[in-house]
Amino acid sequence: MPETSARQTLINRYMWSVVALGGTLFLYSVHKLPYNQLDFRFLLLFLLTVAISSRIAIKVPRVNTTITVADTFVFLTFLLYGPEAAVVVAAADGLSSGLRISRRWMTILFNAGANASAIFTTGAIARLLFGIDLNIASQSYSLSLVILCVVAVAQYLFHTWLVAICLGLKTQRPLWQAWSSHYLWSSLTYFIGAFLAGGIVKLENTISFYAVLAPLPIISIIYFTYEKYLEDIRATAAQAERAERERAEAEHARAEAERLRAEQAEQHLEELNRYVEKLEGAGKELQESREHFRHAAFHDALTGLPNRSLFTEHLRLALGRTHQNDGYRFCVLFLDLDRFKNINDSLGHPCGDELLILVARRLETCVRQTDVVARFGGDEFAILLDAMQDPSDAIQVAEKVLQTIAAPFKLTNHEAITTASIGVALGSPNYKEAEDIVRDADTAMYRAKDIGKARYELFDTAMHTRAVTLLRLETDLRRAIENEELCVYYQPIVRLANGELHGFEALVRWHHPERGLVSPGDFISLAEETGLILPLGLNVLRQACRQLRKWQQRSLSDRDLIISVNLSGKQLAQPDLVERIEEVLQESQLKPWHLKLEVTETVVMENPEVAAVTLAKLRALGVLLSIDDFGTGYSSLSYLNRFPLDILKIDRSFISTMNQTDENLQIVKTIVTLAGNLGMQVIAEGVETEEQLNQLRLLKCQYAQGYLFSEPLDAVQADLFILNRLNSSPAAVLIPDAVSFMM
Ligand code: C2E
Ligand code: MG
Ligand code: MG
């Protein structure tokens, strides 16, 4: 920057000028020194000034000034040996002190130059005013005082201005300001220096110079002690300052810590709030999932209806109310869809599920808000009718439910029709447990199913007794199977063309220890329900096959007898049925074509796909297949040819009424024709009269079975029947054509 360098040049020029002036004056002074006067004292003063110089400086507190010993020595030299000697000592002092305060030669030389110039000028002025001899020792005190004052003032002004100009240039301040701010008060230094020197010169008259200098060590000690004291004060002040600073720092740190703590506390509070919020959120979530689980635990997932647990809970409360309030009545409806399995099997489970949901919604429309509709599982539903006015209300609701359910259901891709069977149990204080009411409604529902489905049945005590009997029967049946109380009866089947014995139908009987002979009608359905039909059926099959094999082996004429064994729905659905039958055949060494298996239409139509597969396997095995009770069940003539059937058994109900109306006769005739068209043979069941027999023969029915020939017989009786059939068998008597044919 040009301005800065210009200023620096000016400063340099000024300083060098002072140096040059001081140097010139120094050289001039050296030249003009009064060498003859210079004694050992001068040397001592010179050395002391150089050695001690401004090292000993007393800073006057509160006033920006210092009294240096050097100043006193310079003034002393001035007064004793004249200004030239003072210039030499001042220059030496300037160099020596300059060397200590700076490393720049310019500054050091400037210091010496300024010192030399100032004292030279002071000397020149003093000489101008007071003559050549400035030694005040011989002067009066008042003149000495004036001289000292002039010297002090002159030295003060010249010296301070020489330095202040440089300072002003450096700091770019007005010179006056630079001078006044730094040196206005330093006049005192010069005065003290001058007057001390004056005092010493004056004292020299009375005591020697050395005596004056003698206390110097003491002064030094006092000075250094004072210095030490000052230092201590400074140290103390510094300490106090440090302490204050530390205190301030501590205070600051404390405040900072406080602030941080507050900040942290605030943060913690915020975090805590967030945490609390989160906790509350989690709590809410927990609450929600608890409610979700509670809901799931007490509701049916498919329909959203209350489940059995929740229903039973409501029922318990209702039962409690009947105990407290005499007039309070409630009712339970137990509902089961009829042939729901058919819908599931034929349309698929998704359709079945859809139907159940729709049924649930319809059931809800049949009841009041205060009632409870529940799903127990599968196609079972229950309704609790709360606080009924009259028991007939339950009948009305049951009828409404039957009607509502009977209307067609529109599923996504199908239309389905179903009916329901309902059991109704009226709540009363006589009930102890809620479950008992459900049990009774369930019993009534089974009764409704038994007597034809698509209806409701009211539970009564007789039903309960029956239910209890059934339960006992079940226990007994289990035991009976284990104890082999079950035996097989054989009912002969006769070939109508010649009256020959074709074979037997195996019909199970139970020799009950208390009840005597129990017919299958009383326990087959129970065995079906409980699954006991599987061991039972296998037992019958085994006994029958063994028995037939015995008869076949006994006589050549009996080797083509067949045995007909009934198969239940559960048996047909059994996966290893074919293997089991194969085993039995091997075991009894019976040819498969001597075994005929009877299945009812209903069993086949319950699950046509599975039935078709199993029947095909059985057919492949070589056994004969017969459709039992034809015409009573869910008849689908179109289905008939889908199954590999050999024989069709016309149900007893058609045979017994055959001769009563022409219509019934036509039915039998049609069935026989149909079977013939399908390549099947026909057996007429329940033939009891000769008339029936004749009619059947006219219709070209191949086989017959019925009391006319024989009731079902035990093994011994059947044995006799075989042996005596030509003589004593009613068949022989009643079929003269056949007998004549056989003879
Ligand atoms: P089903 O297979 O139709 O058997 C014929 C039923 O008609 C037998 O009844 C027989 O005693 C009866 N019956 C025969 N001729 C006449 C007659 O002229 N008049 C009258 N009123 N009845 C006659 P049962 O033995 O009581 O058997 C009833 C049903 O029980 C059988 O009907 C059959 O479906 C079932 N059953 C019998 N034994 C077994 C068995 O071992 N296993 C299976 N799964 N079911 C069996
Ligand atoms: Mg049968
Ligand atoms: Mg039958």
Side-chain angles (χ1 to χ4, degrees):
M1 273 199 224
E3 200 193 326
T4 317
S5 59
R7 199 177 64 242
Q8 192 59 47
T9 315
L10 186 66
I11 295 166
N12 289 346
R13 273 186 196 163
Y14 171 72
M15 286 176 85
W16 279 120
S17 307
V18 173
V19 171
L21 179 68
T24 310
L25 293 174
F26 174 76
L27 290 174
Y28 173 77
S29 298
V30 169
H31 176 69
K32 284 282 181 184
L33 271 179
Y35 289 101
N36 53 342
Q37 284 176 37
L38 297 182
D39 52 7
F40 181 69
R41 293 180 306 173
F42 174 76
L43 189 64
L44 200 66
L45 276 175
F46 182 84
L47 289 175
L48 277 174
T49 307
V50 173
I52 303 168
S53 162
S54 55
R55 241 176 251 262
I56 301 176
I58 298 163
K59 194 164 178 15
V60 183
R62 298 190 179 277
V63 182
N64 187 20
T65 190
T66 35
I67 302 160
T68 63
V69 180
D71 287 338
T72 312
F73 288 176
V74 170
F75 279 121
L76 198 55
T77 311
F78 183 93
L79 295 174
L80 289 175
Y81 301 101
E84 289 78 19
V87 167
V88 174
V89 172
D93 168 49
L95 277 176
S96 133
S97 64
L99 275 167
R100 275 195 300 108
I101 59 169
S102 174
R103 291 198 168 174
R104 285 184 69 210
W105 270 109
M106 168 82 93
T107 311
I108 296 162
L109 290 174
F110 175 79
N111 210 28
N115 274 7
S117 306
I119 200 74
F120 183 88
T121 317
T122 303
I125 288 172
R127 274 194 178 138
L128 204 68
L129 292 173
F130 308 109
I132 295 288
D133 189 10
L134 292 171
N135 196 334
I136 55 165
S138 50
Q139 308 289 351
S140 68
Y141 274 97
S142 44
L143 183 64
S144 299
L145 205 67
V146 174
I147 291 171
L148 284 176
C149 282
V150 169
V151 167
V153 169
Q155 175 66 8
Y156 161 60
L157 290 174
F158 288 122
H159 190 233
T160 55
W161 269 106
L162 278 173
V163 181
I165 289 167
C166 184
L167 206 69
L169 286 172
K170 276 186 180 174
T171 55
Q172 284 184 288
R173 282 193 297 174
L175 298 182
W176 166 253
Q177 207 181 21
W179 178 82
S180 63
S181 67
H182 282 91
Y183 302 110
L184 194 61
W185 293 101
S186 67
S187 58
L188 200 67
T189 316
Y190 295 86
F191 277 100
I192 292 170
F195 279 91
L196 270 174
I200 291 167
V201 172
K202 281 285 183 201
L203 275 174
E204 214 199 352
N205 287 342
T206 41
I207 51 167
S208 81
F209 175 78
Y210 297 105
V212 172
L213 286 184
L216 215 66
I218 299 159
I219 292 169
S220 297
I221 290 167
I222 293 167
Y223 168 75
F224 284 114
T225 311
Y226 173 72
E227 253 315 89
K228 183 80 183 69
Y229 164 73
L230 277 184
E231 220 169 78
D232 283 353
I233 285 177
R234 275 200 295 273
T236 314
Q239 225 170 357
E241 204 174 287
R242 202 163 51 240
E244 174 62 20
R245 209 169 45 238
E246 277 170 7
R247 195 197 58 76
E249 274 172 14
E251 177 64 25
H252 178 74
R254 199 192 58 75
E256 186 67 5
E258 193 74 8
R259 191 185 61 77
L260 270 175
R261 250 202 308 280
E263 219 169 71
Q264 270 175 359
E266 205 160 301
Q267 267 177 15
H268 283 160
L269 198 70
E270 253 172 51
E271 264 171 40
L272 205 67
N273 276 338
R274 275 202 296 273
Y275 186 62
V276 166
E277 268 168 33
K278 222 191 264 177
L279 266 184
E280 277 169 10
K284 209 191 279 171
E285 274 157 44
L286 258 179
Q287 182 70 19
E288 274 170 14
S289 51
R290 204 180 294 142
E291 273 163 24
H292 178 78
F293 280 121
R294 252 167 75 105
H295 189 271
F298 292 109
H299 289 82
D300 166 47
L302 181 68
T303 60
L305 290 178
N307 61 13
R308 186 189 273 266
S309 306
L310 187 54
F311 184 83
T312 313
E313 229 13 80
H314 281 290
L315 203 54
R316 269 191 203 116
L317 294 173
L319 192 59
R321 285 194 283 273
T322 56
H323 291 136
Q324 287 157 6
N325 178 356
D326 274 352
Y328 177 84
R329 284 287 174 271
F330 68 92
C331 176
V332 171
L333 269 64
F334 198 102
L335 181 146
D336 188 289
L337 297 181
D338 299 323
R339 297 187 197 86
F340 175 68
K341 195 172 173 298
N342 277 358
I343 290 173
N344 242 352
D345 290 341
S346 54
L347 302 181
H349 284 266
C351 281
D353 285 354
E354 216 182 319
L355 177 70
L356 289 172
I357 295 167
L358 294 176
V359 166
R361 298 291 87 84
R362 283 196 193 176
L363 288 179
E364 283 170 332
T365 65
C366 299
V367 298
R368 300 160 301 174
Q369 281 265 302
T370 47
D371 301 328
V372 182
V373 179
R375 179 175 172 229
F376 278 15
D379 57 345
E380 287 181 350
F381 294 87
I383 299 170
L384 168 67
L385 301 176
D386 197 25
M388 285 190 313
Q389 301 291 320
D390 193 278
S392 64
D393 292 352
I395 308 294
Q396 275 181 17
V397 174
E399 276 170 355
K400 192 175 172 187
V401 168
L402 287 176
Q403 256 180 29
T404 314
I405 297 294
F409 286 92
K410 276 205 169 60
L411 309 181
T412 313
N413 296 317
H414 301 274
E415 188 169 279
I417 294 174
T418 188
T419 53
S421 297
I422 304 171
V424 184
L426 298 172
S428 82
N430 296 337
Y431 280 110
K432 292 242 159 25
E433 300 293 336
E435 285 84 356
D436 295 345
I437 312 166
V438 176
R439 178 205 61 206
D440 287 350
D442 189 24
T443 306
M445 186 274 290
Y446 269 102
R447 178 89 189 119
K449 286 237 185 231
D450 277 354
I451 58 177
K453 301 187 172 96
R455 69 189 64 216
Y456 68 87
E457 260 315 286
L458 270 172
F459 177 80
D460 57 27
T461 358
M463 246 182 239
H464 179 71
T465 317
R466 191 176 160 268
V468 171
T469 313
L470 271 178
L471 189 71
R472 200 176 304 142
L473 197 70
E474 187 189 333
T475 323
D476 289 355
L477 187 60
R478 276 180 205 281
R479 200 197 56 232
I481 295 168
E482 281 167 23
N483 297 349
E484 297 186 345
E485 288 172 19
L486 298 170
C487 62
V488 180
Y489 272 48
Y490 301 90
Q491 186 174 35
I493 300 167
V494 176
R495 188 182 284 118
L496 290 185
N498 53 15
E500 263 182 20
L501 179 67
H502 172 60
F504 295 93
E505 175 169 11
L507 294 160
V508 69
R509 295 292 180 269
W510 178 7
H511 282 292
H512 195 281
E514 293 152 24
R515 295 163 63 187
L517 203 64
V518 184
S519 67
D522 291 338
F523 63 90
I524 285 292
S525 61
L526 182 75
E528 274 265 332
E529 250 175 66
T530 54
L532 286 170
I533 193 74
L534 298 179
L536 184 152
L538 194 67
N539 199 317
V540 170
L541 180 75
R542 201 173 277 134
Q543 280 191 45
C545 290
R546 275 189 205 150
Q547 187 58 61
L548 182 74
R549 186 61 193 148
K550 268 189 205 164
W551 288 327
Q552 284 182 341
Q553 284 176 331
R554 200 176 50 188
S555 148
L556 256 178
S557 58
D558 296 331
R559 64 164 191 251
D560 284 330
L561 287 179
I562 60 104
I563 187 80
S564 205
V565 178
N566 292 283
L567 271 192
S568 77
K570 275 251 168 76
Q571 282 177 284
L572 198 69
Q574 202 183 353
D576 58 350
L577 175 74
V578 184
E579 288 78 18
R580 285 290 165 90
I581 291 172
E582 213 175 349
E583 269 171 31
V584 172
L585 288 172
Q586 276 174 7
E587 199 182 276
S588 57
Q589 296 183 313
L590 194 74
K591 294 283 179 267
W593 52 89
H594 292 136
L595 173 66
K596 193 192 286 176
L597 297 171
E598 294 189 8
V599 284
T600 63
E601 272 179 305
T602 320
V603 161
V604 168
M605 294 313 295
E606 246 171 31
N607 200 342
E609 277 77 25
V610 175
V613 173
T614 313
L615 293 177
K617 282 186 188 166
L618 289 171
R619 185 65 177 292
L621 195 66
V623 298
L624 300 169
L625 299 172
S626 164
I627 189 120
D628 204 356
D629 304 341
F630 187 80
T632 56
Y634 179 76
S635 300
S636 169
L637 297 178
S638 63
Y639 265 80
L640 264 187
N641 63 348
R642 281 188 52 188
F643 303 107
L645 301 165
D646 306 281
I647 297 122
L648 192 151
K649 291 181 88 169
I650 306 173
D651 191 70
R652 183 159 54 90
S653 56
F654 296 106
I655 305 302
S656 59
T657 55
M658 185 172 62
N659 293 325
Q660 289 164 14
T661 63
D662 186 52
E663 208 180 29
N664 286 350
L665 182 68
Q666 288 306 315
I667 290 173
V668 176
K669 200 178 168 183
T670 311
I671 294 172
V672 175
T673 315
L674 173 80
N677 290 344
L678 292 171
M680 295 163 78
Q681 294 188 320
V682 181
I683 298 178
E685 281 188 302
V687 180
E688 292 180 351
T689 66
E690 204 182 332
E691 204 187 350
Q692 291 164 355
L693 176 67
N694 288 333
Q695 192 64 63
L696 289 165
R697 286 179 65 222
L698 285 173
L699 291 174
K700 301 263 187 293
C701 174
Q702 288 95 342
Y703 304 96
Q705 177 186 349
Y707 293 168
L708 179 66
F709 310 104
S710 170
E711 284 185 15
L713 307 166
D714 65 22
V716 181
Q717 290 169 329
D719 203 36
L720 280 173
F721 182 88
I722 296 166
L723 292 172
N724 301 328
R725 66 180 184 269
L726 294 178
N727 309 318
S728 58
S729 147
V733 178
L734 291 164
I735 313 175
D737 288 357
V739 173
S740 58
F741 178 76
M742 283 162 85
M743 287 171 83

